[in-house]
């Protein structure tokens, strides 16, 4: 693991090798308590062993990456990704983006504003339509207030729960001392028009009990090339509770799309 200078930040990165000349898969994690480890322990290993080069990184403000006070909007997230790919010499060919939860939002936005960078998309229970922006903003605001007033990191540290204390302290800093909540609130939900102008293939993997599934159905109906895979028995926890089915779907899609890009 390393801290890679990119776009004025140091981003915590992890790379796994694939075949020489193989396609590159970039994983985008979710918000606040999430980081690259979510993929490292689930999808990254199997994808690497299948021959794809893998790039994992902690997005700005998350994990071990730098935490500036601002720049948590979608466009800046895309700029961070562009700078990181350039810094690592991975900007010569389009990459496959795999995004979980809010990471899927960023992956889809990247495909809309920089389609030249993207070979294909895998969206794992990503928030797409409806009132999700308002709902997420409300949820994060409540969490921010709770962390600020309950002094939870200090309580966990006093109990000897150091890892949890560190993660909670990071969440407190991200929610209460950056513009993250305001930046997310300023970003609109995607529309049918956005889906219609997607020019990259999409695999959307959702749990059958996920409250976000209606948005995925809208995506599948409106995007020119979108496959919707619904996994039984799970909700928003697809990555951790349906890893085997998710991994099979992702590997199948990446294999076929990597061959198409190579041709």
């Amino acid at each position: 693991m390393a801290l890679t200078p990119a776009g004025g930040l140091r981003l915590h990165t992890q790379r796994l090798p694939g075949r020489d000349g193989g396609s590159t898969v970039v994983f985008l994690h979710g918000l606040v308590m999430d980081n690259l480890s979510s993929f490292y322990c689930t999808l990254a290993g199997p994808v690497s062993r299948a021959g794809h080069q893998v790039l994992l990184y902690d997005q700005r403000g998350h994990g071990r990456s730098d935490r500036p006070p601002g720049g948590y909007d979608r466009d800046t997230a895309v700029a961070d990704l562009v700078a990181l790919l350039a810094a690592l010499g991975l900007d010569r060919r389009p990459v496959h983006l795999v995004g979980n939860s809010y990471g899927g939002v960023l992956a889809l936005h990247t495909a809309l504003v920089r389609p030249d960078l993207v070979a294909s998309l895998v969206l794992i229970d990503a928030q797409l339509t409806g009132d999700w922006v308002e709902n997420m903003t409300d949820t994060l605001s409540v969490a921010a207030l709770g962390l600020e007033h309950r002094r939870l990191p200090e309580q966990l540290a006093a109990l000897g729960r150091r890892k949890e204390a560190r993660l909670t302290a990071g969440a407190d800093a991200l929610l209460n001392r950056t513009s993250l909540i305001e930046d997310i609130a300023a970003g609109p939900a995607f529309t049918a028009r956005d889906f219609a102008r997607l020019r990259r293939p999409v695999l959307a993997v959702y749990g059958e009990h996920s409250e976000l599934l209606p948005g995925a159905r809208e995506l599948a109906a409106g995007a020119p090339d979108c496959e919707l895979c619904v996994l039984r028995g799970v909700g928003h926890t697809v990555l951790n509770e349906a890893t085997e089915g998710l991994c099979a779907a992702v590997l199948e899609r990446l294999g076929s799309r990597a061959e198409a890009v190579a041709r």
Side-chain angles (χ1 to χ4, degrees):
M1 297 187 183
L3 289 175
T4 303
L9 297 179
R10 294 174 305 161
L11 296 176
H12 180 226
T13 60
Q14 170 73 59
R15 298 180 67 178
L16 301 179
R19 292 188 300 266
D20 288 341
S23 60
T24 298
V25 181
V26 181
F27 289 90
L28 301 171
H29 63 72
L31 282 174
V32 185
M33 295 293 283
D34 211 354
N35 55 53
L36 65 78
S37 67
S38 297
F39 288 116
Y40 190 83
C41 300
T42 51
L43 296 181
V47 168
S48 174
R49 289 192 292 273
H52 306 283
Q53 299 181 61
V54 167
L55 172 61
L56 307 161
Y57 73 102
D58 290 336
Q59 296 170 41
R60 81 164 47 207
H62 293 75
R64 298 181 182 179
S65 290
D66 286 346
R67 186 181 298 121
Y72 295 88
D73 57 282
R74 297 178 202 172
D75 286 334
T76 304
V78 173
D80 288 345
L81 173 58
V82 172
L84 180 60
L85 292 175
L88 296 174
L90 297 175
D91 57 344
R92 300 179 182 90
R93 297 175 58 191
V95 299
H96 302 276
L97 297 180
V98 179
N100 180 54
S101 191
Y102 189 72
V105 173
L106 300 182
L108 184 55
H109 186 67
T110 303
L112 289 170
V113 301
R114 287 297 307 270
D116 57 300
L117 293 175
V118 180
S120 73
L121 298 175
V122 177
L123 310 181
I124 305 169
D125 223 77
Q127 304 91 338
L128 300 176
T129 62
D131 298 327
W132 75 263
V133 173
E134 181 179 353
N135 292 340
M136 179 175 286
T137 302
D138 289 345
T139 298
L140 293 176
S141 297
V142 170
L145 287 171
L147 287 168
E148 187 174 28
H149 292 292
R150 291 176 58 195
R151 302 179 66 85
L152 189 56
E154 291 90 337
Q155 295 180 43
L156 290 169
L159 293 171
R161 296 161 65 178
R162 295 180 181 178
K163 181 177 179 180
E164 293 168 87
R166 185 175 68 253
L167 290 172
T168 307
D172 184 18
L174 187 56
L175 291 173
N176 286 307
R177 287 183 280 283
T178 76
S179 62
L180 177 90
I181 296 175
E182 294 83 355
D183 289 347
I184 289 176
F190 296 107
T191 66
R193 180 175 296 180
D194 292 324
F195 299 152
R197 63 188 183 90
L198 275 171
R199 293 297 177 264
R200 295 296 178 265
V202 183
L203 170 65
V205 186
Y206 283 68
E208 69 169 333
H209 302 307
S210 173
E211 62 183 12
L212 304 175
L213 185 55
R217 297 194 189 282
E218 290 185 41
L219 171 66
D225 184 357
C226 179
E227 175 189 354
L228 175 59
C229 175
V230 179
L231 299 179
R232 295 182 178 180
V234 291
H236 189 57
T237 53
V238 169
L239 183 61
N240 294 314
E241 295 188 8
T243 307
E244 184 176 348
L246 171 63
C247 189
V250 169
L251 289 176
E252 180 179 2
R253 171 53 66 103
L254 287 175
S256 61
R257 294 303 171 182
E259 291 171 5
V261 171
R263 289 196 298 268

